[in-house]
Amino acid sequence: LAFALRANATRTEKTGGLSVNGKEKKRHIDLVMDAIHALPGRKDLPEAAESVRAAARMTAAQQVGRDWLASQGARAGFRLIKAEAGDYSVATLTDHRGSRARQPRFGILDLTGLIEIADPDAFLTQLSNGFGRAKAFGCGLMLIRRPA
């Protein structure tokens, strides 16, 4: 099947601490942003090299997107054949009350490509539930169709 997916590709890490009510604290890490932070910083590059950084940012988004979707497929009954990241952007929740530094942000990765269904029941269940986080903000919906 051909697909289009807008996703918030994250992983969850345990912080080792406990909340006030005794639950283990966790944090969600945006995988694309984590890969982008490993790239040379803006201050390290001359202004003319910004296009080089933008190309490196999309290359990182491509690789992270493919890897993340392949791992989703292993759990959701499909095999990733081809995936391409069309865009990566960061959305900020503007209605947040509090300090700007604590303002919630999340990455949005637009993926398109081809998948092969291995377990139809598992795939249909996950398709109806959505993929990844930030579903309340328009992420996680996979649109599928027959390949052209």
Side-chain angles (χ1 to χ4, degrees):
L1 297 172
F3 73 89
L5 172 66
R6 175 166 277 188
N8 175 237
T10 61
R11 75 172 182 268
T12 304
E13 284 186 351
K14 296 177 181 178
T15 63
L18 294 176
S19 67
V20 176
N21 59 3
K23 288 186 179 180
E24 189 169 25
K25 287 186 179 180
K26 298 176 185 175
R27 67 184 188 130
H28 306 290
I29 298 169
D30 184 329
L31 296 175
V32 178
M33 190 57 69
D34 197 38
I36 290 171
H37 284 306
L39 299 174
R42 269 199 168 110
K43 296 172 184 157
D44 300 340
L45 296 173
E47 198 169 309
E50 182 57 33
S51 63
V52 172
R53 182 170 161 74
R57 191 169 39 240
M58 278 311 294
T59 301
Q62 293 279 0
Q63 186 60 46
V64 168
R66 271 190 227 109
D67 293 346
W68 178 81
L69 193 55
S71 70
Q72 291 285 317
R75 291 187 297 270
F78 69 86
R79 184 177 66 83
L80 183 64
I81 297 171
K82 180 178 103 174
E84 185 174 324
D87 186 38
Y88 176 75
S89 59
V90 177
T92 303
L93 300 181
T94 56
D95 292 345
H96 172 72
R97 294 177 193 220
S99 71
R100 189 169 184 189
R102 307 273 306 156
Q103 192 171 27
R105 294 181 196 95
F106 59 94
I108 299 171
L109 183 61
D110 290 326
L111 297 165
T112 57
L114 293 170
I115 57 173
E116 179 180 69
I117 307 303
D119 183 354
D121 292 333
F123 176 70
L124 289 174
T125 299
Q126 190 63 45
L127 185 66
S128 65
N129 291 332
F131 295 88
R133 303 183 60 79
K135 293 179 195 86
F137 303 105
C139 295
L141 175 66
M142 179 184 276
L143 304 173
I144 57 172
R145 63 179 171 83
R146 282 181 258 144

